Amino acid sequence: MVDKKVSIIDVAQRANVSITTVSRVLNKVPTVNKEIVERVEKVIGELKFKPNPTAQRLARGIENTAIGFVIPGYPGIFHSFYAVELMRGIGHGCETLRMDLIFHITDGTNPLRTSYAGGLIFADIIENLPQVDAAVREGVPCLVINHIVKDLKVSFLAVDNIKGGHMAGKYLTSLGHKRIATITGNLQTQAGIDRLEGFKKALLEEEIECPKGYIFEGDYSRRSARQAAEHFFSLEDPPTAIFAASDDMALEVISVAMENGIKVPEDISVIGFDDNPAGLFGPVGLTTIKQPLFTMAAEAVKVVHELMSGKQENVVRRVLDPDLIVRESCAQPSI
Amino acid sequence: MVDKKVSIIDVAQRANVSITTVSRVLNKVPTVNKEIVERVEKVIGELKFKPNPTAQRLARGIENTAIGFVIPGYPGIFHSFYAVELMRGIGHGCETLRMDLIFHITDGTNPLRTSYAGGLIFADIIENLPQVDAAVREGVPCLVINHIVKDLKVSFLAVDNIKGGHMAGKYLTSLGHKRIATITGNLQTQAGIDRLEGFKKALLEEEIECPKGYIFEGDYSRRSARQAAEHFFSLEDPPTAIFAASDDMALEVISVAMENGIKVPEDISVIGFDDNPAGLFGPVGLTTIKQPLFTMAAEAVKVVHELMSGKQENVVRRVLDPDLIVRESCAQPSI
DNA sequence: CTGAAAGCGCTAACAA
DNA sequence: TTGTTAGCGCTTTCAG
């Protein structure tokens, strides 16, 4: 049966050696007699002995080498290019630094068991500002991604979403569009709010109206984009251009358009946000605002690692610039 | 500056109490004098003392409570509904059992640092059978998801993909289709192979030909589905029905169809695989084969947990049945 | 209510 | 080459 209590002592006794020797063969110290090595290994096999990693860490004086990645569990988050890119970046960063990656999928209510994690990365924050607060208060090194945190002394790495939204709006107006609509992201997220704000600002600068009916509150999902598109297309005075706050949504808008015989970009211009590679393979290359998700996430790991090791003591706060990627989904209005 | 070495001893000395007492306030033992509690907490704050979790675990005799989730890092895996559902399920399972979830994104070459993890869950296996082998050999409890492993004595939880492919094929033939094509999944994965096999079997049973041109090797991505669809639609004798090995691919087929003025299901029937909710919101409800991804993953955590705790000693091998979900994307052929 | 002391399971000087 | 003996930092009896 299973004995959970086989310890190094049992092995030592049964093999007639000291625990030190057992430890040596465990750690492959080369100065051990071959015969003994064999004997010990045999016993280890017989007893199915597995060294206790916790004890090893303690004895070795190993600092905590795990980073927790806290990701809000709201429906759909995982389906987004956004979350996925972050995960890839974080995975990559951890791999490079040989850190363990611990996942916390949270709805923001649970107190967040830090457990092994010596540092925390929050993928955006929605309902879980209190968790960030608690972590900071406890002195756990942490960093928030894609959220410019003003009221808390915590590190963050964020994309300038206001600028991004502004770029999108500006590009559309520069093409000559006057009737420009937008599908917002989840307005619970700062990114959603900021992209909308930047977009509005761009229109304002050109003194272009953006009536209520031209602003549809989405949530980054294809589903909401479909509703939005159907709404826009049914308007008496439909827009000639649409800014979708994510590529997924932009792609869905294009789908709906084509289903209705509306040509992109001839009849309607569509610009997205993300630079999701999926935008390359549709019927028409998607013009979009690129944000360095992968890089940002990888960088986040590096920063938290420095925070953990004490190499960096101050909060680091960095805002990155998005880029306009011009492909084929936007053109001058035909009218 | 940062002192990494503040230990419970420092706190005890500075607060003029024993380490035992400090430990007590740390663990909120109620029988401590209020004044002392305050004093100790003050010192803890001043010193920014954080108890060492490793030491706590050792002293408390806590077993390893982390499960490692090993996920192949091939491009696109994260974008799939598949991986995402597994992650959700695993996250949920870990939450319920209060286990830590450690992520390993691997290309199969690295030796896989088990580190904290006391058990391992492999999300499918492609290049990383050796890793599974190594883990088994080391005696680490592990389980493979969605892969029926024959040559290794390891636990698995899998969906019967042959049956699933067969159901899809059968359903299409039962509607009267004779010209049926398929877009396979990644044929590096067992799921991809099996769905194709089941599909072929179903056609064979009805003595329906499936010419080479009707089998397009995809990789679960929308991109590959687009290529496939364009290929099929350009055929002299295009199929009247298509089985796509994932819903994402099926959805893309529908998109391409609509772009080309081909009606679904009037002109072409499309059936997918997964039961991705995205299939509900398109222009036409997607008929599909449902597999219990979330449940399977959550269950996997439970099994590994039992394996770790010794409640379960045998390998557990379970094959689950998929379901046919009929919506609107399939109909009888018009010709 | 508080403290001394014995571990938790393992590693790492230091001897032998 | 192998064993002895301190710890690693904290929890937990068991006295006081």
Side-chain angles (χ1 to χ4, degrees):
Chain A
M1 303 303 137
V2 180
D3 298 291
K4 275 284 148 200
K5 299 114 207 279
V6 226
S7 90
I8 198 170
I9 297 181
D10 305 302
V11 178
Q13 288 178 341
R14 180 130 164 198
N16 254 317
V17 293
S18 71
I19 59 168
T20 312
T21 301
V22 178
S23 171
R24 288 200 180 99
V25 348
L26 242 31
N27 296 291
K28 306 198 190 303
V29 175
T31 65
V32 185
N33 188 321
K34 301 218 176 202
E35 279 180 32
I36 296 197
V37 172
E38 280 175 23
R39 183 145 46 102
V40 171
E41 279 178 342
K42 182 155 160 283
V43 174
I44 289 180
E46 289 169 5
L47 264 40
K48 299 199 177 184
F49 167 68
K50 286 244 38 180
N52 178 330
T54 306
Q56 290 182 308
R57 299 188 103 81
L58 218 216
R60 286 176 179 148
I62 292 179
E63 294 293 331
N64 238 327
T65 54
I67 286 186
F69 183 45
V70 185
I71 187 158
Y74 65 82
I77 175 92
F78 282 121
H79 295 285
S80 62
F81 175 72
Y82 170 73
V84 157
E85 280 299 286
L86 290 190
M87 277 167 38
R88 280 189 48 234
I90 297 220
H92 175 82
C94 287
E95 194 74 21
T96 309
L97 270 60
R98 316 213 72 214
M99 308 283 291
D100 280 311
L101 208 201
I102 298 182
F103 252 66
H104 295 273
I105 299 163
T106 171
D107 59 356
T109 57
N110 296 0
L112 203 62
R113 307 169 297 123
T114 328
S115 82
Y116 293 111
L120 252 26
I121 295 178
F122 290 83
D124 213 329
I125 39 186
I126 299 193
E127 299 290 343
N128 51 347
L129 200 62
Q131 292 183 330
V132 180
D133 190 29
V136 171
R137 202 173 301 285
E138 276 188 32
V140 180
C142 54
L143 180 149
V144 175
I145 285 185
N146 213 23
H147 197 113
I148 297 173
V149 189
K150 296 197 176 109
D151 22 279
L152 229 54
K153 194 162 175 288
V154 62
S155 301
F156 63 74
L157 246 46
V159 167
D160 191 335
N161 281 299
I162 296 186
K163 193 177 282 184
H166 187 263
M167 287 169 82
K170 198 84 179 177
Y171 179 62
L172 260 15
T173 62
S174 77
L175 286 173
H177 289 279
K178 304 287 181 198
R179 301 206 308 277
I180 310 177
T182 184
I183 309 172
T184 75
N186 182 333
L187 292 183
Q188 306 268 90
T189 65
Q190 193 186 52
I193 297 168
D194 286 357
R195 288 174 200 171
L196 175 59
E197 181 183 330
F199 168 78
K200 278 178 167 172
K201 207 175 81 185
L203 297 213
L204 248 175
E205 285 169 8
E206 303 297 320
E207 295 179 345
I208 292 176
E209 279 282 344
C210 188
K212 270 272 184 300
Y214 273 21
I215 299 180
F216 191 101
E217 183 171 344
D219 60 5
Y220 299 122
S221 76
R222 278 188 174 251
R223 177 188 181 181
S224 65
R226 175 165 290 269
Q227 294 176 335
E230 283 164 355
H231 160 74
F232 290 146
F233 295 154
S234 72
L235 254 29
E236 279 197 27
D237 218 29
T240 61
I242 296 176
F243 163 47
S246 81
D247 280 358
D248 272 337
M249 296 202 293
L251 257 17
E252 190 70 6
V253 169
I254 294 179
S255 285
V256 176
M258 302 202 92
E259 286 164 22
N260 290 283
I262 300 170
K263 294 244 179 281
V264 178
E266 293 81 351
D267 303 329
I268 188 149
S269 290
V270 179
I271 184 169
F273 206 108
D274 272 347
D275 194 30
N276 183 333
L280 283 167
F281 305 118
V284 39
L286 183 65
T287 292
T288 190
I289 305 293
K290 171 183 184 147
Q291 49 177 348
L293 259 19
F294 182 91
T295 321
M296 185 163 71
E299 186 68 18
V301 175
K302 222 188 287 177
V303 171
V304 170
H305 182 247
E306 285 172 1
L307 252 24
M308 285 167 68
S309 68
K311 264 192 209 166
Q312 172 72 53
E313 316 179 25
N314 306 309
V315 297
V316 355
R317 299 162 157 249
R318 216 140 54 218
V319 177
L320 311 171
D321 277 344
D323 281 320
L324 172 67
I325 306 287
V326 175
R327 290 199 277 259
E328 298 96 44
S329 64
C330 291
Q332 299 183 340
S334 49
I335 320 168
Chain B
M1 303 302 137
V2 180
D3 297 293
K4 276 283 147 198
K5 300 114 206 281
V6 224
S7 92
I8 197 171
I9 298 181
D10 304 303
V11 178
Q13 288 178 341
R14 179 130 163 199
N16 253 317
V17 292
S18 71
I19 61 168
T20 313
T21 300
V22 178
S23 172
R24 287 200 180 98
V25 347
L26 242 31
N27 295 291
K28 305 198 190 304
V29 175
T31 65
V32 186
N33 188 320
K34 300 219 177 203
E35 279 180 31
I36 296 196
V37 172
E38 281 175 22
R39 182 146 46 102
V40 172
E41 280 178 340
K42 183 155 160 281
V43 174
I44 288 180
E46 289 169 3
L47 264 39
K48 299 200 176 182
F49 167 68
K50 286 243 36 179
N52 178 330
T54 306
Q56 289 183 310
R57 301 188 103 82
L58 217 215
R60 285 174 180 151
I62 293 178
E63 294 294 330
N64 236 328
T65 55
I67 286 186
F69 183 46
V70 185
I71 186 161
Y74 66 82
I77 175 92
F78 282 122
H79 294 285
S80 62
F81 176 72
Y82 171 73
V84 158
E85 280 299 286
L86 289 189
M87 278 167 38
R88 279 189 50 236
I90 297 218
H92 176 81
C94 287
E95 195 73 21
T96 309
L97 270 58
R98 315 215 73 216
M99 308 282 291
D100 280 311
L101 207 202
I102 298 183
F103 253 67
H104 296 273
I105 300 163
T106 170
D107 58 358
T109 57
N110 295 0
L112 203 61
R113 306 172 297 124
T114 329
S115 81
Y116 294 111
L120 252 26
I121 295 177
F122 290 83
D124 213 330
I125 37 186
I126 300 193
E127 299 291 341
N128 51 348
L129 199 63
Q131 292 183 331
V132 180
D133 190 29
V136 172
R137 201 173 301 285
E138 276 187 32
V140 180
C142 54
L143 181 150
V144 175
I145 286 186
N146 213 24
H147 196 114
I148 297 174
V149 188
K150 293 194 179 114
D151 22 279
L152 230 54
K153 194 162 177 286
V154 63
S155 301
F156 63 74
L157 245 47
V159 167
D160 191 335
N161 282 299
I162 296 186
K163 193 177 283 185
H166 187 262
M167 289 169 81
K170 199 84 178 176
Y171 179 62
L172 260 15
T173 62
S174 77
L175 286 173
H177 290 277
K178 304 288 180 197
R179 301 207 307 277
I180 311 178
T182 184
I183 309 172
T184 76
N186 182 334
L187 292 184
Q188 306 268 89
T189 65
Q190 192 185 55
I193 296 168
D194 286 357
R195 288 175 201 171
L196 175 58
E197 181 183 331
F199 168 76
K200 278 178 168 172
K201 206 174 81 184
L203 298 213
L204 249 175
E205 285 169 9
E206 302 297 322
E207 295 178 345
I208 292 176
E209 280 281 345
C210 188
K212 271 273 184 297
Y214 273 22
I215 299 180
F216 190 101
E217 183 172 345
D219 60 4
Y220 300 120
S221 76
R222 279 190 173 250
R223 179 188 179 180
S224 65
R226 175 164 291 269
Q227 294 176 334
E230 283 165 355
H231 160 73
F232 290 145
F233 295 156
S234 72
L235 253 30
E236 278 197 27
D237 217 30
T240 61
I242 296 176
F243 163 47
S246 82
D247 280 358
D248 271 337
M249 296 201 295
L251 257 15
E252 190 70 7
V253 169
I254 295 180
S255 285
V256 175
M258 304 203 92
E259 287 163 23
N260 290 283
I262 300 170
K263 293 245 179 281
V264 179
E266 293 82 351
D267 303 328
I268 189 150
S269 290
V270 178
I271 184 170
F273 205 109
D274 271 348
D275 195 31
N276 183 333
L280 282 166
F281 305 118
V284 39
L286 183 65
T287 291
T288 191
I289 306 294
K290 171 182 184 148
Q291 49 176 350
L293 259 17
F294 182 92
T295 322
M296 186 164 70
E299 187 67 18
V301 175
K302 223 189 285 176
V303 172
V304 169
H305 181 247
E306 284 172 0
L307 252 23
M308 284 168 66
S309 69
K311 264 192 208 167
Q312 171 71 55
E313 315 177 27
N314 306 310
V315 297
V316 355
R317 300 162 157 250
R318 217 142 51 219
V319 177
L320 311 171
D321 277 343
D323 281 321
L324 172 68
I325 307 287
V326 175
R327 289 200 275 259
E328 299 96 43
S329 65
C330 292
Q332 299 182 341
S334 49
I335 320 168

